Amino acid sequence: EVQLVESGGGLVQPGGSLRLSCAASGFIVTHNYMNWVRQAPGKGLEWVSVIYSGHSTYSADSVKGRFAVSRDTPKNTIYLQMNNLRPEDTAVYYCARTSGSDLWDGFDIWGQGTTVIVSS
Amino acid sequence: QSVLTQPPSVSGAPGQRVTFYCTGSSSNIGARYPVHWYQQLPGKAPKLLIYADNNRPSGVPARFSGSKSGTSASLAITGLQAEDEADYYCQSYDRRLSGSSVFGTGTKVTVL
């Protein structure tokens, strides 16, 4: 079965760090663009970061310089390292697979999400 | 702040047709990047509903359809059912923002 399972969320103080994991099964993460998308409480979806099938990564301006996406190929897992966290980073974080070979293709597989709360 | 704008809410009675729009600009929808639609049920992850403007993944009922024209796209639900009550988001790509997908502001569909 093709699926994504996120983990690593939790409560962290402002200025702290957290690393989220997204374990993939049923497909190989290096074959697709892999994304992180977040949703603040009661708000809409916000694209956060993408890692290409190579090693290129891009992030939204709101997290640039603070968040970094990476990949462990043997573990078939992607990560989101989040540093200098702010209260406005509080959200459910989803990982999602881009379905096709173009960056603008839709996201066909989503994880269940992991919750990050930034609060003192 | 999203670059794709949707109405906050729409409603309809069971069996009716509802249509709502996703408005972008010349750097995203108007640049002919495909538009995708997602359905998000309460407490659940989003689910791909329509991809590449007007295509339904396997398993998505035919009552959902998408279209695109100029700098806007639309999602139509015909024969509205109670289980269609959810949040719906459009998504595209914006060439001004390196590597960036963009989501719409979201539309809450209420079945009366």
Side-chain angles (χ1 to χ4, degrees), chain B residues 7 9-21 37 49 63-67 74-81 84-86 88 107-112:
Chain B
S9 63
V10 298
S11 62
Q16 283 190 330
R17 173 187 172 104
V18 295
T19 302
F20 49 95
Y21 290 82
W37 291 90
L49 193 68
R63 64 179 183 275
F64 294 96
S65 62
S67 66
S74 65
L75 178 69
I77 310 173
T78 57
L80 196 61
Q81 298 186 8
D84 299 334
E85 186 159 296
Y88 293 82
T107 298
K108 168 71 175 180
V109 171
T110 300
V111 182
L112 301 172

Side-chain angles (χ1 to χ4, degrees), chain A residues 92-111:
Chain A
V92 175
Y93 285 74
Y94 297 100
C95 65
R97 183 182 82 168
T98 298
S99 59
S101 58
D102 291 318
L103 190 58
W104 45 81
D105 287 331
F107 298 172
D108 63 340
I109 305 296
W110 294 68

Side-chain angles (χ1 to χ4, degrees), chain B:
Chain B
Q1 183 175 355
S2 178
V3 298
L4 302 179
T5 302
Q6 299 177 235
S9 63
V10 298
S11 62
Q16 283 190 330
R17 173 187 172 104
V18 295
T19 302
F20 49 95
Y21 290 82
C22 169
T23 303
S25 68
S26 59
S27 63
N28 42 68
I29 298 175
R32 300 188 178 184
Y33 290 111
V35 176
H36 318 292
W37 291 90
Y38 299 87
Q39 178 192 61
Q40 187 177 32
L41 297 170
K44 300 294 186 181
K47 168 191 167 185
L48 183 63
L49 193 68
I50 297 287
Y51 67 94
D53 304 337
N54 55 17
N55 298 278
R56 283 178 288 106
S58 174
V60 172
R63 64 179 183 275
F64 294 96
S65 62
S67 66
K68 185 175 77 176
S69 177
T71 58
S72 293
S74 65
L75 178 69
I77 310 173
T78 57
L80 196 61
Q81 298 186 8
E83 64 255 36
D84 299 334
E85 186 159 296
D87 293 320
Y88 293 82
Y89 295 91
C90 60
Q91 180 206 14
S92 189
Y93 179 87
D94 196 301
R95 65 185 178 192
R96 297 173 307 172
L97 309 170
S98 297
S100 180
S101 289
V102 288
F103 285 96
T105 50
T107 298
K108 168 71 175 180
V109 171
T110 300
V111 182
L112 301 172

Side-chain angles (χ1 to χ4, degrees), chain A residues 63-119:
Chain A
V63 305
K64 203 168 290 184
R66 300 188 299 122
F67 290 14
V69 58
S70 62
R71 181 176 58 221
D72 185 326
T73 301
K75 292 185 178 179
N76 210 30
T77 297
I78 65 168
Y79 302 98
L80 185 67
Q81 178 66 45
M82 304 185 295
N83 299 325
N84 191 21
L85 282 160
R86 304 167 180 169
E88 56 264 36
D89 296 319
T90 294
V92 175
Y93 285 74
Y94 297 100
C95 65
R97 183 182 82 168
T98 298
S99 59
S101 58
D102 291 318
L103 190 58
W104 45 81
D105 287 331
F107 298 172
D108 63 340
I109 305 296
W110 294 68
Q112 83 288 355
T114 188
T115 300
V116 173
I117 300 173
V118 184
S119 175

